[in-house]
Structures are given as structure tokens and as C-alpha cells.
């Protein structure tokens, strides 16, 4: 049995076959849906404490930061993770970047240009809602780039992520693994709820028609870019409650291992305390 969730959800060695990974599985879940939610609340408090330490470390000269990278098919829950997991920590120490269709300016640069600009600063937990992987996923499926260009991008991504690790950026790469049946239910739910119809895009159905091609594109991306230093985690995401707990737990395990420390004060604590006690009343 895996010792940690990171071990349990680490992407398998090639060849990766997503059809063999159950999107409804709940590895290492604390228990039922209700029990897991209770545990998630408690773990969220621990995560918030560690994030505060990381932020304090960065504010006083530390270099370390964490980057949570979320990829998955439409409705897999990237936004839900941001709300339920990242929302548990102080927004002061979090930066969320949602990568949309590249702008004309971005298209004039390397595909990694806009990504480099969004890398979080010291002490920050950064979140990428989609990422540089779009350029080897949509690019491959929609044939937006030549095959040899796509091949070069895998190597560029591995090199880029190695540079991030060398620069004290800890990556947590999560592929939110959802089934086509669950996606269908979530898309129907959007259409059936007037408050959620704004989330529906008819283009989602066009992308859904290419499901097998996207699954293969994800398999290749996982095979080519999951490394010992920057592994991928395949998070079963048909059950929202498990998905949210799992991503939060992956972050918690990562920050626990980093063990950020609050900086020691550079002043005499007793002296400053005496000054406050002895000060004259403020009129």
C-alpha cells in the first residue's frame, strides 16, 4: 500500500493507459463522503498554517514557492479545486492564473513566454488553471502545430520544469481524470440549471467529440513529462468530494515536506514589548 497520496496517485510508468485508471476510485480516502469532508476541513487548517509560514519565509528573503498545475477535460473541476482547496488558505499568499486562448501578443512569442511571466514569486502558492500543456494537448488534437514542433515542446517543457525546480519552485502537477459519462452529466446539469448556463459553451461539445484523441494526447503528455523531480498525479475526479480532498492532500504533503519556518525576529522582543507597555496614552 502506498505510504502517501503522492505515491498512490503518481502517474504510472509508460505506457500510460487512462482507460485502466478508474476515475471513480478513492485511494486513501479517509472514509465516506461526509467523513472525508470533515477531514478536509481539518487538513485545510494545517494547509493554511503552512502557507502562512511559506509566505513569511518569502517575505524575509526565502526563495521557495509552490506551483499547483491543474489540467483536465472540460468540467473535470479545475474551478472547483480553486474554490474549495485554494480558497482554504489566505488569498494574500496565492496567485491564480487561468490560461485562455493566446492573445496576438502571446502568439508572437514562444509558447512558454506567457507561462514564465506567471510563475509565482517567493513565498507564494501559484495556481495554473490550464497551463503550458495546452500547447501539446490542443496543439496535437487540433493540429495547430506540426508534429515535429509538438515533439520539441515536450523536451522544452521538461527542461523548463527542471529550471523551475532549480529555482526553488516545487511543482504539483494534477491531471483531473474524469469519465465521459460524468462529463455528460455535468454538461447536462449546466443546461438544466439557469444559474449555471453561463458556464456552458457549445464549443465544449465539439471538444467532447474528440474525447479519444484528447485521452491519447494526455497519455503521451504524461509519458513524456512525468519525471522523478516533477511527477504528474492522476486524480480520480468523477467524485467531486474526493477530487477536492485529494488535491488538498497533495498540497499538504508537499508543504509538510518543505517544512517552511517562520523567520526569527531581527529585533529584541522584550525591548519592544516594554516600549508598548510603557508608552504614554495616545490622545
Amino acid at each position: 500500500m502506498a505510504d502517501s497520496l503522492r505515491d498512490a496517485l503518481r502517474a504510472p510508468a509508460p505506457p500510460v493507459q487512462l482507460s485502466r485508471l478508474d476515475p471513480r476510485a478513492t485511494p486513501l480516502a479517509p472514509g465516506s463522503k461526509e467523513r472525508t469532508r470533515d477531514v478536509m476541513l481539518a487538513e485545510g487548517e494545517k494547509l493554511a498554517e503552512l502557507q502562512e509560514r511559506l509566505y513569511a519565509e518569502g517575505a524575509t528573503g526565502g526563495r521557495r514557492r509552490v506551483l499547483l498545475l491543474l489540467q483536465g477535460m472540460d468540467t473535470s473541476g479545475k474551478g472547483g479545486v480553486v474554490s474549495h482547496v485554494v480558497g482554504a488558505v489566505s488569498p494574500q499568499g496565492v496567485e491564480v492564473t487561468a490560461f485562455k486562448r493566446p492573445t496576438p501578443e502571446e502568439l508572437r512569442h514562444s509558447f512558454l513566454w506567457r507561462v514564465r511571466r506567471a510563475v509565482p514569486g517567493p513565498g507564494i502558492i501559484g495556481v495554473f488553471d490550464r497551463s503550458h500543456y495546452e500547447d501539446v494537448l490542443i496543439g496535437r488534437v487540433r493540429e495547430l502545430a506540426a508534429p515535429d514542433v509538438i515533439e520539441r515542446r515536450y523536451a522544452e517543457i521538461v527542461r523548463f520544469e527542471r529550471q523551475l525546480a532549480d529555482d526553488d519552485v516545487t511543482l504539483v502537477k494534477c491531471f483531473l481524470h474524469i469519465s465521459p459519462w460524468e462529463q455528460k452529466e455535468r454538461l447536462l446539469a449546466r443546461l438544466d440549471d439557469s444559474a449555471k448556463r453561463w458556464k456552458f459553451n457549445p464549443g465544449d461539445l465539439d471538444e467532447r467529440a474528440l474525447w479519444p484523441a484528447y485521452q491519447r494526447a494526455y497519455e503521451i503528455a504524461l509519458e513524456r513529462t512525468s519525471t522523478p523531480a516533477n511527477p504528474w498525479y492522476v486524480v480520480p475526479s468523477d467524485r467531486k468530494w474526493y477530487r477536492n480532498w485529494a488535491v488538498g492532500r497533495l498540497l499538504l504533503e508537499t508543504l509538510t515536506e518543505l517544512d517552511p519556518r517562520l523567520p526569527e525576529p531581527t529585533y529584541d522582543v522584550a525591548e519592544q514589548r516594554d516600549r508598548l507597555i510603557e508608552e504614554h496614552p495616545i490622545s
Side-chain angles (χ1 to χ4, degrees):
M1 185 174 179
D3 294 329
S4 71
L5 195 64
R6 288 184 296 174
D7 292 334
L9 298 185
R10 190 180 298 260
V16 176
Q17 293 180 279
L18 291 174
S19 61
R20 294 190 174 184
L21 301 177
D22 183 3
R24 292 187 62 78
T26 58
L28 299 188
S32 65
K33 178 178 179 178
E34 291 71 24
R35 168 62 179 160
T36 299
R37 283 178 172 170
D38 290 342
V39 169
M40 185 177 172
L41 289 174
E43 292 183 345
E45 293 178 1
K46 295 178 184 177
L47 183 61
E49 178 187 346
L50 287 165
Q51 181 237 9
E52 183 178 10
R53 291 189 207 168
L54 182 70
Y55 183 77
E57 187 180 277
T60 54
R63 292 285 306 158
R64 297 190 297 176
R65 42 264 172 85
V66 172
L67 176 54
L68 172 64
L69 191 155
L70 302 172
Q71 283 287 161
M73 296 293 287
D74 294 320
T75 77
S76 60
K78 297 177 288 294
V81 167
V82 172
S83 297
H84 293 92
V85 178
V86 182
V89 301
S90 170
Q92 184 180 31
V94 174
E95 294 176 358
V96 179
T97 303
F99 289 96
K100 306 296 185 182
R101 184 187 299 272
T103 65
E105 180 187 12
E106 290 168 344
L107 288 172
R108 289 194 293 269
H109 296 81
S110 159
F111 79 101
L112 289 173
W113 181 75
R114 64 175 182 166
V115 178
R116 293 183 189 277
R117 301 177 74 200
V119 172
I124 300 296
I125 295 179
V127 184
F128 282 1
D129 180 344
R130 301 187 186 273
S131 67
H132 43 290
Y133 283 93
E134 294 296 293
D135 292 275
V136 294
L137 294 166
I138 295 179
R140 185 183 190 96
V141 173
R142 289 290 186 177
E143 299 181 347
L144 301 178
D148 61 317
V149 172
I150 299 292
E151 288 301 319
R152 286 199 300 272
R153 285 177 179 173
Y154 295 121
E156 289 181 61
I157 287 172
V158 170
R159 185 163 56 249
F160 167 60
E161 292 180 351
R162 188 184 308 123
Q163 292 168 350
L164 290 180
D166 291 342
D167 198 28
D168 289 325
V169 180
T170 299
L171 272 173
V172 182
K173 302 191 295 185
C174 297
F175 169 57
L176 307 183
H177 183 34
I178 189 175
S179 70
W181 305 280
E182 180 63 22
Q183 187 197 56
K184 183 175 184 177
E185 290 300 311
R186 293 180 187 180
L187 289 173
L188 285 171
R190 289 180 181 181
L191 288 171
D192 292 342
D193 186 343
S194 60
K196 294 183 178 180
R197 286 176 189 155
W198 67 271
K199 293 183 177 182
F200 184 85
N201 182 346
D204 293 344
L205 300 187
D206 298 327
E207 297 301 302
R208 177 175 165 79
L210 298 171
W211 188 279
Y214 272 108
Q215 295 300 287
R216 183 58 189 142
Y218 271 110
E219 289 170 347
I220 294 171
L222 295 175
E223 290 172 358
R224 305 285 180 84
T225 64
S226 191
T227 66
N230 293 304
W232 272 101
Y233 302 106
V234 180
V235 180
S237 297
D238 273 14
R239 303 177 194 267
K240 296 178 182 179
W241 60 270
Y242 177 80
R243 174 203 68 207
N244 293 338
W245 170 78
V247 175
R249 183 58 178 265
L250 290 171
L251 272 178
L252 180 60
E253 289 183 6
T254 299
L255 280 164
T256 299
E257 183 174 89
L258 286 176
D259 192 22
R261 301 298 181 92
L262 292 174
E264 292 295 329
T266 57
Y267 50 85
D268 186 314
V269 175
E271 178 185 351
Q272 300 306 313
R273 187 172 185 277
D274 288 344
R275 284 182 63 192
L276 276 171
I277 291 174
E278 296 169 4
E279 72 178 6
H280 296 293
I282 298 175
S283 57

